[in-house]
Amino acid sequence: MEERLQKYMARCGDASRRKCEEIILNGEIKVNGILVTEVGTKINPSTDKVFYKDKEIKVEEKKVYIMLNKPEGYITSVKDERGRKTVLDIVKVEERIFPIGRLDYDSSGLLLLTNDGSVYNNIIHPRVILKKKYIATCRGKFTESDIKKFKSGINIGDYITAEADIDIISEEKRYSKIKKKEEIISTVEISIHEGKNRQIRRMCASLNHEVLTLKRVSIGELKIGYLKKGEFRNLTDDEIKYIKGL
């Protein structure tokens, strides 16, 4: 049975379907030794051989779905041109996997990794409104005006965010060695369903609240629970059923 080339590549676990389309357009794919640059090209997975950078790629028989509590100081990528550590330096499995979505270098928390391209698309596709919940510690006290702005949308420079939820968990005074005086540090829970680059940090910064720490604790119904930083586990059957049904 014939199959679109980019769909086959995604099933092989090389990247999301959208990324696979870019790879094809960049002229990095050969089918049976012939360069292919047209998205939508159909192949027969049973008889055709697909090469990415002159290395044959095949469908991984075993699909894996992993939850990682990403520590700060790791790139959410398969590799980094600047030589920084990536999440694959932590999650070492036999299958070729890739992270789903992003989590900033200096942020921690829940990150999903898989070799299932269809699940990747389920989670990041714009049609899927999936709430992502974060715990942030920030400088300053959040006012009622700040909270209203979160819930109505904030201009973060090049974009006005969709409404978001924010709840104050705690406020405490700490002595700042830099400012040489006491300041209020707020711990807040923030829920968004978008994924703009450094979105929560930019939202808070626009209201003069510097984010000191940021941890993602849930994606939809998936929760990080008691997983410690740097630890990872396979998703449960129920969790896999959930992400496949999005």
Side-chain angles (χ1 to χ4, degrees):
M1 182 181 293
E2 289 190 332
E3 181 178 10
R4 289 181 183 273
L5 178 56
Q6 65 267 32
K7 183 178 179 181
Y8 173 78
M9 290 170 60
R11 288 203 300 116
C12 289
D14 285 274
S16 68
R17 197 178 304 179
R18 187 180 302 175
K19 183 64 178 178
C20 289
E21 291 174 354
E22 294 178 13
I23 293 171
I24 294 169
L25 292 172
N26 287 338
E28 299 178 78
I29 297 297
K30 291 181 180 179
V31 177
N32 301 326
I34 300 173
L35 183 68
V36 175
T37 58
E38 185 177 342
V39 171
T41 298
K42 291 187 176 182
I43 64 163
N44 185 331
S46 300
T47 57
D48 292 328
K49 292 187 176 182
V50 179
F51 295 84
Y52 174 39
K53 294 184 176 178
D54 295 323
K55 181 179 180 180
E56 186 177 1
I57 60 174
K58 299 178 180 179
V59 174
E60 296 278 4
E61 294 298 327
K62 179 184 176 184
K63 296 299 182 187
V64 294
Y65 310 88
I66 293 170
M67 177 186 294
L68 165 70
N69 185 344
K70 184 189 94 67
E72 297 90 342
Y74 286 81
I75 297 294
T76 305
S77 177
V78 173
K79 60 182 178 180
D80 181 58
E81 295 178 353
R82 293 162 57 184
R84 293 171 293 180
K85 292 181 290 187
T86 77
V87 291
L88 293 191
D89 289 316
I90 302 174
V91 184
K92 296 184 182 294
V93 294
E94 292 182 3
E95 295 79 12
R96 290 182 298 171
I97 58 174
F98 50 89
I100 302 178
R102 291 184 301 229
L103 196 56
D104 296 338
Y105 178 81
D106 45 5
S107 298
S108 66
L110 197 163
L111 182 71
L112 300 175
L113 301 99
T114 188
N115 59 354
D116 189 337
S118 62
V119 162
Y120 180 101
N121 286 321
N122 281 0
I123 293 175
I124 69 163
H125 198 284
R127 67 171 169 77
V128 179
I129 299 178
L130 202 59
K131 277 195 174 183
K132 297 177 279 288
K133 188 177 294 182
Y134 299 78
I135 302 296
T137 58
C138 310
R139 283 199 163 95
K141 179 183 176 68
F142 283 80
T143 65
E144 286 299 323
S145 175
D146 292 337
I147 294 171
K148 286 180 180 178
K149 288 177 181 176
F150 256 89
K151 297 190 178 206
S152 62
I154 296 175
N155 189 331
I156 56 175
D158 58 350
Y159 182 78
I160 297 177
T161 63
E163 61 182 70
D165 294 324
I166 180 170
D167 292 300
I168 311 301
I169 297 175
S170 66
E171 296 170 346
E172 62 177 283
K173 291 183 178 180
R174 294 184 193 173
Y175 183 78
S176 171
K177 293 181 180 179
I178 297 175
K179 297 182 179 180
K180 296 184 178 180
K181 64 177 182 179
E182 281 192 337
E183 62 177 342
I184 293 177
I185 302 297
S186 297
T187 300
V188 296
E189 181 184 272
I190 299 171
S191 295
I192 61 174
H193 61 80
E194 301 170 293
K196 298 296 180 182
N197 187 36
R198 299 179 69 83
Q199 181 173 333
I200 287 180
R201 293 179 185 276
R202 293 164 69 191
M203 291 171 76
C204 291
S206 70
L207 301 175
N208 297 315
H209 295 294
E210 178 189 357
V211 173
L212 303 176
T213 65
L214 184 63
K215 177 182 180 180
R216 182 159 64 199
V217 295
S218 68
I219 299 175
E221 295 180 9
L222 302 181
K223 298 179 181 179
I224 200 164
Y226 295 103
L227 204 62
K228 296 178 181 178
K229 284 185 183 179
E231 290 184 344
F232 61 92
R233 66 170 176 82
N234 292 315
L235 295 190
T236 66
D237 290 343
D238 285 343
E239 289 170 333
I240 294 170
K241 183 178 179 180
Y242 167 68
I243 59 177
K244 283 188 174 182
L246 291 172

